[in-house]
Amino acid sequence: MCEAYKNNLLYPRYLFFTISWYSEGWWRDGVEQYGCTQEQMEQVLEHTLTIVFLPSARYLDPSLTTDTKTNLTIGEYLRRESEEYVNRAPLNISKVDDLSSDCYDGMYAFTYALNSTINDLNTNMTLNDMANNYVDNVTGPFRIESFSYENSVVMETMFKNLERTNFRGVSGDVHFDSNGIRAVTQFIVLQYRKNQSTGDLESVVVGRISPDLTFTFEPGETEDTVWPSMFSIFKKFSSLTISVL
């Protein structure tokens, strides 16, 4: 970012994409060692876009109720999460992680798949015997405590149960493919902008991308709000340079 500033690679002639998992305020940390000020970094970063690939409660309707046994609304989850971070203030945890809701749902899905796998092993003795083939010194029916990563029978059963998992969690709809990878129903597009009240640079949701790669603006957002002055640049230049930082 600093080199971009030094080479005058600024909006609206240049538009950058950044990685979504950078920490909050990452451009402020140690910027002086690169020979730039925070203000100069923000000149490059303003209008920059970033795509959130993993689901997060932070970008969903807080009134939605989950399908988990807790019956939490997304708003209630976020409230409890924030309270926990406040309680941990002595640990210098100052920001609720956007990925925490994804982890919460991941653990719920894993628990469901694990319980289903244990039930399959306990009720299907043929499957149980097959799983026992990977155990040394067998003393009885297979128990999940005897699982090892070499036990492909248990792993395949686990993946099948994970693939059957389908519920609305605090990070949105949760389901997985046959490889245990969570399916993403949409990507969130954020943009760094100056807050008109505080003057601080912050990220805001400007749109969403569906699995078929259709982009939809958030309510109140348009081409003019996301890319002010951009289209006049198209008329002046034959090409626009887009880079990923």
Side-chain angles (χ1 to χ4, degrees):
M1 298 294 287
C2 186
E3 288 301 313
Y5 176 83
K6 292 176 180 179
N7 288 279
N8 200 34
L9 307 181
L10 304 176
Y11 183 90
R13 181 63 179 84
Y14 289 83
L15 175 66
F16 293 96
F17 286 87
T18 61
I19 299 173
S20 62
W21 53 80
Y22 287 154
S23 61
E24 183 180 25
W26 57 269
W27 63 90
R28 305 188 193 100
D29 298 335
V31 61
E32 295 80 8
Q33 64 181 305
Y34 301 108
C36 285
T37 65
Q38 176 182 323
E39 290 73 19
Q40 291 169 340
M41 292 283 280
E42 290 182 353
Q43 284 188 49
V44 181
L45 191 57
E46 189 173 7
H47 302 298
T48 290
L49 299 176
T50 185
I51 298 177
V52 178
F53 294 96
L54 291 176
S56 171
R58 213 151 299 286
Y59 311 118
L60 300 174
D61 181 351
S63 66
L64 289 176
T65 302
T66 67
D67 295 332
T68 62
K69 290 185 177 180
T70 58
N71 289 322
L72 279 175
T73 65
I74 292 174
E76 177 67 10
Y77 169 81
L78 290 172
R79 183 188 66 78
R80 294 186 184 183
E81 184 187 52
S82 296
E83 289 177 353
E84 284 297 316
Y85 273 77
V86 170
N87 293 336
R88 298 178 187 184
L91 300 178
N92 294 321
I93 299 176
S94 59
K95 177 179 178 289
V96 175
D97 195 327
D98 280 351
L99 300 182
S100 61
S101 57
D102 186 62
C103 295
Y104 179 94
D105 285 339
M107 290 303 299
Y108 188 92
F110 174 80
T111 302
Y112 168 82
L114 180 61
N115 286 340
S116 297
T117 299
I118 293 173
N119 183 64
D120 290 342
L121 291 166
N122 289 340
T123 57
N124 186 334
M125 295 314 298
T126 300
L127 186 68
N128 191 288
D129 290 341
M130 292 170 62
N132 244 345
N133 290 331
Y134 292 86
V135 179
D136 296 329
N137 303 318
V138 175
T139 58
F142 178 83
R143 294 176 58 83
I144 198 65
E145 291 85 348
S146 302
F147 169 74
S148 66
Y149 289 109
E150 291 76 24
N151 196 325
S152 60
V153 173
V154 176
M155 291 181 65
E156 289 174 5
T157 305
M158 183 79 171
F159 278 126
K160 288 179 181 178
N161 283 315
L162 197 58
E163 190 176 4
R164 286 195 285 265
T165 302
N166 191 348
F167 66 94
R168 177 192 287 163
V170 294
S171 62
D173 294 331
V174 180
H175 53 281
F176 300 83
D177 64 18
S178 58
N179 295 314
I181 298 175
R182 182 172 175 179
V184 178
T185 55
Q186 64 177 351
F187 303 109
I188 309 298
V189 181
L190 307 177
Q191 184 177 50
Y192 287 102
R193 292 180 180 173
K194 283 289 182 71
N195 184 302
Q196 297 301 312
S197 300
T198 65
D200 295 332
L201 196 66
E202 59 186 20
S203 59
V204 297
V205 179
V206 297
R208 299 169 191 266
I209 302 174
S210 63
D212 64 359
L213 301 183
T214 299
F215 176 81
T216 304
F217 283 108
E218 286 290 282
E221 298 290 347
T222 65
E223 293 175 342
D224 291 330
T225 61
V226 175
W227 297 295
S229 306
M230 177 66 75
F231 293 99
S232 62
I233 295 298
F234 281 130
K235 298 176 182 178
K236 296 180 181 180
F237 298 96
S238 59
S239 64
L240 176 72
T241 303
I242 300 178
S243 300
V244 178
L245 296 179

